[in-house]
Amino acid sequence: MDVLINVFVALHVIGIASLLGGFLTQMKAMGAGTARFSPRCCTER
């Protein structure tokens, strides 16, 4: 059971690091003016 808990904690840490890295990369691209935004399907009616 401890192994399973450690695996889930590791996956959460990897996921949070991935989200943070993507956010920081996007912020850097926004500063350079090269950011890409995907349109949202739910706001276009």
Side-chain angles (χ1 to χ4, degrees):
M1 190 67 175
D2 288 336
V3 174
L4 190 61
I5 291 173
N6 288 337
V7 167
F8 281 128
V9 169
L11 288 175
H12 276 87
V13 169
I14 291 170
I16 291 171
S18 176
L19 287 172
L20 182 62
F23 176 75
L24 293 176
T25 302
Q26 185 73 2
M27 293 306 288
K28 183 178 177 184
M30 284 176 63
T34 59
R36 293 184 182 180
F37 296 97
S38 59
R40 293 184 177 217
C41 63
C42 300
T43 57
E44 296 177 12
R45 294 183 184 199

